[in-house]
Amino acid sequence: MVSMPDRATRAFSFGGIAQDYDRYRPGPPIEAARWVLGVGRRCVLDLGAGTGGLTRSLVQLAQRVTALEPDRRMRAVLAEHSGGAAVVGAVGESLPLRDHCVDGVIASSSWHWMDPALASAEVARVLVVGGVFGLLWSGPDRGVEWVGDVLGRRRRPGTEDGEGFRRRRTMTLPPDLAFTEPETTVVRFSVTADLDDLAGLSGTFSVAIVGGGPERDARIAAVRERARAHPDIGEGPVELPMVCRCWRAVRTEA
């Protein structure tokens, strides 16, 4: 039995394909970020910003945005394409910020790469009272039949991958941190994608990257062929259904 790479290995695998990640992986919709933040936020922290898929929306919603990304390769692309944001290299478990200095912290598809207890405590430390903490998880809607046919479906609950997928999209705050009861919503959207986009997207997930170049190439080629042969896709373009699951809570006391 082949053991799964550890969390750190998977977390830092994306840097090896940073340009492809930025090109093929859609960021969450601005509507999702707006739902989390509300209006009038002054200073917002984008936690685990990757190549800036969320950052580029945040600079439209807040006066100042700091984009924090630990991987220098991802950070280079982030800095190149996310004008208006301050780009910082650091991890969520040790934020290089003073106490109570931001009124919004938001993470997009990155929270599961952090230690939740340590990172939650850091988020609580840097937030002002009334500041909002939000999480977004977005990706292709594999519940749509043709999307599952082409990109694959999640394994059933109880398997390693299926259970891991469920855990990555849940959040429980430590009881000693003062936040309001969390709220959740789902935002559905779509992006226009052609054959190359669908194939490229399939190569941006850690399960494809950590297998190495030949295995990743084989996965991409397989998705390309499935898409080309599928009666609903062919050469495209098509509207790719996406889903963004949103979570937020408000800091209630220092």
Side-chain angles (χ1 to χ4, degrees):
M1 178 178 179
V2 179
S3 62
M4 292 293 290
D6 62 30
R7 184 172 65 177
T9 298
R10 292 171 71 93
F12 281 88
S13 68
F14 301 102
I17 61 149
Q19 293 288 350
D20 279 359
Y21 191 99
D22 191 60
R23 176 180 178 183
Y24 295 118
R25 183 76 80 92
I30 193 169
E31 293 81 7
R34 187 178 288 115
W35 179 86
V36 167
L37 293 176
V39 296
R41 298 293 170 186
R42 295 181 301 103
C43 303
V44 171
L45 175 64
D46 184 358
L47 193 58
T51 59
L54 173 62
T55 312
R56 294 189 279 274
S57 290
L58 294 180
V59 296
Q60 302 176 57
L61 301 175
Q63 295 178 27
R64 286 189 290 165
V65 175
T66 299
L68 184 148
E69 169 54 45
D71 190 304
R72 61 174 178 77
R73 300 162 298 178
M74 300 287 275
R75 201 163 60 243
V77 180
L78 168 66
E80 181 180 356
H81 296 297
S82 302
V87 176
V88 175
V91 296
E93 296 86 348
S94 181
L95 299 178
L97 302 174
R98 68 181 188 277
D99 294 355
H100 319 307
C101 66
V102 298
D103 57 1
V105 177
I106 186 168
S108 174
S109 298
S110 61
W111 185 251
H112 52 282
W113 301 121
M114 306 174 207
D115 181 299
L118 294 176
S120 294
E122 281 291 271
V123 168
R125 179 182 65 79
V126 302
L127 273 174
V128 300
V129 174
V132 66
F133 175 28
L135 302 176
L136 304 175
W137 297 272
S138 63
D141 188 351
R142 296 170 191 257
V144 174
E145 186 173 3
W146 75 259
V147 179
D149 289 343
V150 172
L151 295 179
R153 295 178 174 83
R154 299 295 179 186
R155 297 179 189 172
R156 65 186 181 276
T159 65
E160 181 178 356
D161 184 67
E163 190 65 17
F165 177 77
R166 183 191 66 78
R167 287 197 305 269
R168 288 197 294 272
R169 281 143 183 84
T170 59
M171 172 61 175
T172 302
L173 284 166
D176 59 324
L177 299 181
F179 282 89
T180 60
E181 189 69 20
E183 300 174 277
T184 62
T185 194
V186 174
V187 176
R188 297 186 183 277
F189 64 111
S190 67
V191 295
T192 302
D194 61 19
L195 195 64
D196 288 340
D197 295 325
L198 292 170
L201 173 62
S202 71
T204 67
F205 299 102
S206 63
V207 67
I209 302 167
V210 297
E215 182 175 327
R216 178 172 176 262
D217 290 345
R219 286 176 178 267
I220 292 171
V223 168
R224 183 185 300 276
E225 290 309 307
R226 288 199 296 270
R228 180 178 284 119
H230 200 285
D232 293 333
I233 307 170
E235 296 294 331
V238 294
E239 287 299 305
L240 174 63
M242 303 284 291
V243 60
C244 183
R245 295 172 175 84
C246 314
W247 178 101
R248 69 184 178 193
V250 176
R251 188 80 164 100
T252 57
E253 63 183 63

